Amino acid sequence: MPQVWLAVIAVLGGAAGLIWSADRFVAGSAALALRMGLSKLVIGLTIVSLGTSAPEIMVAGSAALKGAGEIGVGNALGSNLANIGLVLGATALVAPLPAQPHLLRHEIPALLAVTGLAGLVLADGYLSRTEGLVMLGLIPPLLWLTVHFKKRHHGPEEEDLDIQAYTTARGFALFTIGLAALLLSSEILVWGAHHLALAAGISPLVIGLTVVALGTSLPELAASLASVIKGHFDLALGNIIGSNIINLLAVMALPGAIASIQMEIEVFSRDYLAMLAVTLLLVAAVSASLWRRPTRARLGRTLGIVLLASYCGYYWLLFHN
């Protein structure tokens, strides 16, 4: 029993450490990039977007190095489910979220393409090193296309990014401390999750889908709710879509790139299909809203309730299957 409580404390402490360290890591990275002459737009679309997924990426890498790559894969799928079902559902309950037409032209097609690719990779329950490396290799061109589109169609001042005027020394200190704390926190969280799975008699995949995914999704939940409360309604939906794309291309792929993984067949028939279902539900809601009111499209509280109910339904399926 003491071992179980130690594992629970490790999971909670590791998750808290990831949240704290990710914030410092992003701030330090952004400050250094700004000092190096990169524009706020580029920083926001590359460093910050990747930085907010840093907890998931660190956990996936740490798990794979310990031979528990299924935790990383479960973390990616579970985080995507949590981002849409929990984070977006809860945010829509607080305030209706505007849906911009450019989502259907760029962000949503990218999300659907990456989600489809993930399905092809997971269909046989095996994630090879080649598949992992190919998916990781798609990140640089995707980021380049995103930056190119934003510069061309929105201009450099349209991205609202708050970067404090840190000195180079302070930026480097935050970057170093944040990175070190990320590595340590991910090690603690993976250790706790692995021992919790052993003690509970359930698979590392399920632990990744639930405990780890919820822990690493807390930054997205906090950021989205804070954005809505402060009136930055446009940020919440775009942040969720971008985070889900990175989760599949980086977090899910990284364990496979480190070492090929043989997974439970349920990873496709249950977990991937559940993620696909809520993703298609979100796409349908955005499309229908833009079709009805192209200039005043909103994702309202009804959708928020449906998304939260879907997320709860997935948990029921997970533990009663």
Side-chain angles (χ1 to χ4, degrees):
M1 185 61 69
Q3 183 81 354
V4 175
W5 281 111
L6 187 60
V8 170
I9 293 171
V11 169
L12 295 175
L18 286 172
I19 295 170
W20 181 88
S21 54
D23 185 58
R24 272 70 186 171
F25 176 72
V26 170
S29 301
L32 287 176
L34 192 62
R35 290 289 175 179
M36 290 163 49
L38 293 180
S39 70
K40 288 187 177 183
L41 174 69
V42 173
I43 294 170
L45 294 172
T46 57
I47 293 173
V48 174
S49 64
L50 286 171
T52 53
S53 294
E56 288 95 337
I57 294 171
M58 290 294 183
V59 167
S62 178
L65 291 172
K66 288 180 170 57
E70 280 189 291
I71 289 179
V73 175
N75 186 16
L77 298 178
S79 291
N80 278 18
L81 281 160
N83 282 346
I84 297 176
L86 176 62
V87 177
L88 199 57
T91 306
L93 283 180
V94 174
L97 303 174
Q100 303 296 336
H102 67 79
L103 291 174
L104 287 181
R105 295 194 300 268
H106 301 281
E107 285 89 344
I108 284 179
L111 176 62
L112 290 175
V114 171
T115 302
L117 177 61
L120 292 175
V121 167
L122 295 176
D124 59 356
Y126 183 75
L127 179 59
S128 69
R129 294 192 69 181
T130 300
E131 291 168 336
L133 290 170
V134 167
M135 294 186 75
L136 286 173
L138 293 175
I139 296 175
L142 181 64
L143 291 177
W144 182 87
L145 286 172
T146 302
V147 172
H148 179 73
F149 166 76
K150 292 289 185 179
K151 280 185 174 180
R152 184 175 178 181
H153 294 276
H154 294 280
E157 299 303 322
E158 191 146 327
E159 190 73 19
D160 182 16
L161 179 66
D162 181 23
I163 302 176
Q164 297 184 20
Y166 294 132
T167 63
T168 302
R170 187 175 182 187
F172 182 75
L174 283 173
F175 171 81
T176 305
I177 292 170
L179 179 59
L182 274 172
L183 292 169
L184 179 61
S185 300
S186 65
E187 289 286 317
I188 293 172
L189 178 59
V190 169
W191 181 90
H194 182 65
H195 282 77
L196 202 59
L198 292 176
I202 57 180
S203 70
L205 174 65
V206 172
I207 288 292
L209 286 161
T210 55
V211 177
V212 179
L214 280 172
T216 55
S217 292
L218 289 177
E220 280 87 354
L221 178 60
S224 295
L225 289 176
S227 294
V228 169
I229 291 171
K230 292 177 182 177
H232 301 308
F233 301 106
D234 292 345
L235 297 178
L237 186 55
N239 285 347
I240 292 299
I241 293 175
S243 178
N244 280 18
I245 292 172
I246 294 298
N247 280 343
L248 294 178
L249 289 182
V251 180
M252 191 192 85
L254 182 59
I258 293 174
S260 298
I261 308 170
Q262 183 66 54
M263 297 167 287
E264 304 170 30
I265 195 62
E266 287 85 2
V267 74
F268 178 81
S269 61
R270 179 192 62 201
D271 309 316
Y272 170 78
L273 291 182
M275 184 197 71
L276 177 63
V278 295
T279 300
L280 292 178
L281 176 60
L282 173 61
V283 171
V286 172
S287 302
S289 182
L290 284 168
W291 181 71
R292 289 197 305 267
R293 294 185 296 179
T295 59
R296 296 182 58 195
R298 294 288 187 275
L299 303 182
R301 291 181 175 86
T302 301
L303 177 64
I305 293 171
V306 171
L307 290 175
L308 285 170
S310 300
Y311 189 62
C312 293
Y314 169 72
Y315 265 71
W316 183 90
L317 177 67
L318 192 62
F319 290 104
H320 290 82
N321 195 9

